[in-house]
């Protein structure tokens, strides 16, 4: 034992004390260590435990010291983190809460695709007038499917597009299938809004989004005229379906795209539905309960060589959420539901006519699935259940895996596109 320290008998409270022997190099230790360890209660528990241990190890055999080391370790750990049982309870609570959240989300996910359609709540008369629905981009594909489904659900339908011949053909077929419904045609080029007048077409390119049959450029969309054309109708449903990517070619880098190509594509997918919703919201509020369906795409996850399309489709979903909150803020929401629908790969469209498969429904099935989500206030949904599974997989991917998967998919589609053009 060092010459300057020794263990004395315990004090009246049974706490060992430490006294000093004469030492020329530690006079301050002699004064500090002659008090009971219990006097250190103002210090933390770990400091007190160490002082007891220090006096103890100088007075017991080595074998007993080992057992004491273990006891000291437990004492120091307890002083640092407290009672371990308390942490066990915290971890149990966290696990239980996580499980509850996971189960709740799973139930919500499944219920979206199992609940029956409530689209019928919007098929009501107002002042004796039958319900009408406006479907943009109704000349083919999903828009045509929306028109057919709405007619089946009891709506008269206004068919919007820019090609009168195509719309007339669609209207004739719908009228034949649904003789007790009324149909109208509304012509407007969704890729042209007033701001496009300031954009010069690139050399050799038309000013419109997709020139058809060499036709001359259509005038910019007049939203006041569109609203006036619908006056007198009990409009209760608006489906903002018109949209698509730029063409000729479909896949093109941002740096190679002209101003006209980008602006026309953004106008088609974002500006036209934004302005049309603005123009028709007062009518929809007046005829409520009413519904606005904004058709977006799973491509809003971000695909290379389709930048303007992906970005404008994400714009549409953000617009959906923002308009809902704005109406609540202003107290003008009434009973107008806005539903954003993400759509995946669909067949029986103008650009894709392969046979339907597990992950690729036809346009009629896709339209029916989208309308089935109406009436519940879901906000933003993936319209078709198999597409929802794809979306869950995308969200679960690490970023580097997602990047590689998207790049590979676009490379494959671009190669096929080059072969067919």
């Amino acid at each position: 034992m060092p010459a300057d320290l020794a263990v004395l008998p315990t004090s009246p409270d049974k706490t060992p004390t430490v006294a000093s022997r004469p030492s020329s190099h530690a006079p301050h230790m002699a004064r500090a260590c002659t008090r009971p360890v219990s006097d250190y209660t103002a210090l933390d528990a770990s400091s007190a435990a160490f002082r007891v241990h220090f006096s103890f190890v100088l007075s017991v055999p080595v074998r007993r010291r080992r057992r004491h080391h273990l006891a000291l370790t437990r004492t120091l750990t307890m002083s640092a983190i407290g009672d371990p049982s308390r942490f066990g309870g915290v971890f149990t609570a966290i696990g239980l809460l996580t499980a509850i959240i996971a189960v709740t989300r799973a139930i919500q996910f499944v219920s979206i695709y199992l609940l029956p359609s409530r689209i019928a709540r919007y098929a009501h008369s107002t002042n004796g007038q039958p319900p009408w629905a406006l479907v943009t981009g109704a000349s083919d594909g999903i828009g045509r499917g929306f028109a057919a489904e709405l007619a089946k659900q009891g709506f008269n339908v206004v068919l919007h597009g820019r090609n009168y011949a195509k719309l007339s053909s669609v209207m004739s077929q719908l009228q034949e299938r649904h003789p007790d419904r009324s149909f109208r045609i509304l012509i407007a080029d969704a890729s042209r809004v007033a701001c496009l007048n300031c954009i010069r077409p690139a050399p050799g390119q038309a000013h419109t989004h997709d020139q058809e049959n060499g036709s001359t450029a259509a005038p910019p969309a007049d939203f006041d005229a569109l609203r006036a054309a619908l006056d007198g109708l009990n409009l209760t449903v608006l489906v903002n379906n018109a949209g698509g990517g730029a063409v000729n070619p479909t896949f093109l880098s941002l740096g190679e795209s002209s101003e006209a190509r980008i602006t026309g594509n953004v106008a088609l997918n974002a500006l036209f539905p934004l302005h049309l919703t603005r123009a028709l919201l007062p009518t929809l509020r007046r005829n409520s309960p009413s519904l606005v369906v904004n058709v977006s795409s799973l491509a809003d996850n971000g695909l290379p060589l389709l930048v303007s399309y992906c970005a404008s489709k994400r714009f549409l979903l953000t617009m959906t959420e923002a308009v809902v909150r704005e109406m609540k803020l202003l107290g003008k929401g009434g009973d107008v539901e806005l539903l954003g629908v993400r759509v995946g790969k669909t067949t029986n469209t103008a650009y894709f006519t392969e046979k339907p498969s597990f992950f690729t429904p036809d346009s009629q099935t896709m339209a029916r699935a989208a309308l089935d989500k109406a009436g519940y206030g879901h906000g933003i949904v993936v319209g078709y259940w198999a597409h929802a599974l794809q979306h869950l997989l995308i969200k679960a991917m690490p970023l580097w895996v997602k990047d590689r998967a998207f790049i590979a998919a676009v490379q494959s589609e671009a190669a096929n596109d080059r072969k067919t053009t």
Side-chain angles (χ1 to χ4, degrees):
M1 181 180 297
D4 56 347
L5 292 175
V7 178
L8 298 180
T10 59
S11 61
D13 63 354
K14 307 302 181 182
T15 307
T17 59
V18 181
S20 67
R21 292 178 180 173
S23 173
S24 60
H25 63 273
H28 60 285
M29 291 185 63
R31 291 191 300 273
C33 295
T34 54
R35 297 180 298 173
V37 176
S38 59
D39 288 351
Y40 292 94
T41 53
L43 303 176
D44 60 74
S46 60
S47 177
F50 179 78
R51 292 177 186 278
V52 173
H53 170 72
F54 185 63
S55 63
F56 179 81
V57 296
L58 299 178
S59 60
V60 299
V62 174
R63 283 179 293 183
R64 290 185 59 194
R65 293 181 195 174
R66 292 175 182 171
R67 293 195 298 271
H68 186 68
H69 281 309
L70 296 176
L72 175 67
T73 301
R74 288 195 295 270
T75 300
L76 295 177
T77 302
M78 293 282 286
S79 67
I81 66 171
D83 185 359
S85 63
R86 291 186 303 169
F87 279 81
V90 171
F91 292 141
T92 300
I94 293 174
L96 181 61
L97 181 60
T98 302
I100 292 173
I101 293 174
V103 170
T104 301
R105 289 182 176 177
I107 294 173
Q108 290 174 337
F109 174 81
V110 173
S111 67
I112 289 175
Y113 302 96
L114 294 181
L115 291 172
S117 174
R118 286 185 177 175
I119 189 65
R121 77 183 299 262
Y122 305 113
H124 62 86
S125 61
T126 303
N127 298 325
Q129 298 295 318
W132 282 81
L134 167 60
V135 179
T136 66
S139 57
D140 53 44
I142 299 176
R144 183 173 179 169
F146 273 119
E149 284 299 316
L150 287 165
K152 187 186 300 183
Q153 294 291 338
F155 293 87
N156 299 324
V157 184
V158 179
L159 307 170
H160 160 268
R162 58 183 174 175
N163 188 310
Y164 185 82
K166 283 186 177 182
L167 290 174
S168 295
S169 176
V170 172
M171 186 173 72
S172 297
Q173 294 175 21
L174 290 174
Q175 193 71 74
E176 184 178 349
R177 295 176 186 172
H178 307 282
D180 53 345
R181 302 284 178 259
S182 297
F183 299 91
R184 292 190 182 184
I185 289 176
L186 188 63
I187 300 294
D189 188 343
S191 69
R192 288 180 56 81
V193 294
C195 69
L196 281 180
N197 290 336
C198 61
I199 302 295
R200 268 187 321 186
Q205 291 189 4
H207 197 52
T208 55
H209 175 71
D210 179 21
Q211 208 63 11
E212 292 183 356
N213 302 324
S215 59
T216 59
D222 184 340
F223 294 98
D224 289 334
L226 293 176
R227 181 176 58 234
L230 300 171
D231 281 348
L233 300 182
N234 176 29
L235 185 71
T236 61
V237 174
L238 166 61
V239 180
N240 283 314
N241 169 78
V247 294
N248 301 323
T250 300
F251 299 92
L252 194 66
S253 71
L254 183 63
E256 296 174 301
S257 301
S258 67
E259 290 179 56
R261 176 186 172 96
I262 293 171
T263 309
N265 194 227
V266 172
L268 171 64
N269 294 301
L271 294 180
F272 184 81
L274 176 66
H275 284 298
L276 189 62
T277 302
R278 169 189 60 81
L280 296 180
L281 263 181
T283 300
L284 292 167
R285 282 197 295 264
R286 186 169 60 249
N287 297 333
S288 63
S290 53
L291 170 70
V292 179
V293 179
N294 291 324
V295 181
S296 183
S297 169
L298 288 180
D300 68 0
N301 284 285
L303 297 176
L305 306 184
L306 296 170
V307 174
S308 63
Y309 175 69
C310 298
S312 54
K313 283 300 186 182
R314 177 62 65 90
F315 174 100
L316 196 58
L317 294 183
T318 302
M319 181 195 90
T320 301
E321 296 177 320
V323 172
V324 170
R325 292 170 187 145
E326 181 179 282
M327 290 192 299
K328 290 179 180 178
L329 173 67
L330 300 176
K332 296 180 179 180
D335 194 2
V336 180
E337 179 186 2
L338 273 82
L339 178 67
V341 181
R342 282 189 171 100
V343 172
K345 193 172 185 180
T346 305
T347 189
N348 193 26
T349 66
Y351 302 105
F352 190 69
T353 57
E354 292 184 12
K355 185 179 180 180
S357 62
F358 183 81
F359 286 112
T360 308
D362 60 53
S363 57
Q364 187 85 21
T365 301
M366 184 67 252
R368 185 184 310 114
L371 291 175
D372 283 347
K373 310 304 176 289
Y376 291 95
H378 289 313
I380 306 296
V381 298
V382 179
Y384 187 60
W385 67 271
H387 292 162
L389 296 178
Q390 291 178 315
H391 186 57
L392 286 177
L393 178 61
I394 291 171
K395 291 174 65 177
M397 287 180 180
L399 181 59
W400 67 272
V401 175
K402 186 186 302 184
D403 288 346
R404 290 188 178 183
F406 285 1
I407 290 171
V410 169
Q411 286 176 330
S412 175
E413 291 291 334
N416 292 335
D417 187 61
R418 287 191 296 269
K419 292 178 181 178
T420 57
T421 56

